[in-house]
Amino acid sequence: MAEHLLKILIIGDGNVGKSSFVHRYVNGQFNKMYKMTVGVDFSVKLLQWTDKEKVRLQLWDVAGQERFISMTRIYYKGALGCVMMFDVGSLSSFLSCRLWKQDLDNKAMLPNGASIPCILLANKADLAERAVSSENIDSFSRANGFVTWMETSVKENRNVGESMRRLVQEILMV
Ligand code: GDP
């Protein structure tokens, strides 16, 4: 049985739903030790990908960042994929995605020099009040080289597993 170990970054402004997303997806397997060392939490999720392949996901959440900050290279080192999240009810969290993506592309590279696959998640899609239109998200996603974008609602458990599967699919194709 082959096992792939994939380090995935979860980035975006504070309060958009990142830790809720990870918690929902992983069902509470946390590695608290790591937080003390590097200041970042990571959680682990094991997937049976095919009959012959397992995928061990290490999800690194930028816990405690209110707004965009340039992250240390240690955080990006060895990452093979990225989930970038904003809140559809918060225009500023969407605008920050440009900065997060620039920082990511500057610091996280695949061994061949390509930028790492990143999926854009428009979270809190259950909210009636939208600050960002689908058209804006779509053109931003295309212009900035995201794998794709999806609406999610961690609250209603909408597109949580689906978005992660889409990202893993993209990573394993590379
Ligand atoms: P983080 O700072 O990005 O890790 O965000 P949190 O996971 O702490 O979530 C911030 C707040 O948003 C919390 O009160 C969550 O309960 C709430 N939240 C997270 N996801 C959703 C969602 O899909 N819909 C709604 N309505 N609230 C959400």
Side-chain angles (χ1 to χ4, degrees), residues 12-21 61-66 85 123-127 152-156:
D13 281 4
N15 209 41
V16 300
K18 299 182 300 298
S19 47
S20 307
F21 178 85
D61 186 359
V62 282
Q65 304 307 338
E66 279 307 302
M85 183 175 279
N123 191 41
K124 307 197 187 181
D126 56 281
L127 297 178
T152 56
S153 168
V154 176
K155 186 179 177 187
E156 296 179 346

Side-chain angles (χ1 to χ4, degrees), residues 92-140:
S92 65
S93 73
F94 174 66
L95 295 175
S96 288
C97 288
R98 184 178 302 280
L99 301 172
W100 285 110
K101 187 68 165 66
Q102 280 167 3
D103 199 46
L104 178 74
D105 289 345
N106 282 335
K107 293 179 187 160
M109 264 168 241
L110 295 175
N112 68 4
S115 54
I116 67 170
C118 185
I119 191 165
L120 180 64
L121 300 185
N123 191 41
K124 307 197 187 181
D126 56 281
L127 297 178
E129 295 260 320
R130 298 287 176 104
V132 193
S133 72
S134 299
E135 290 74 19
N136 277 345
I137 303 168
D138 197 55
S139 61
F140 173 73

Side-chain angles (χ1 to χ4, degrees), residues 148-164:
T148 188
W149 72 278
M150 288 170 95
E151 288 193 351
T152 56
S153 168
V154 176
K155 186 179 177 187
E156 296 179 346
N157 201 11
R158 184 142 48 101
N159 277 343
V160 174
E162 290 82 350
S163 58
M164 289 304 299

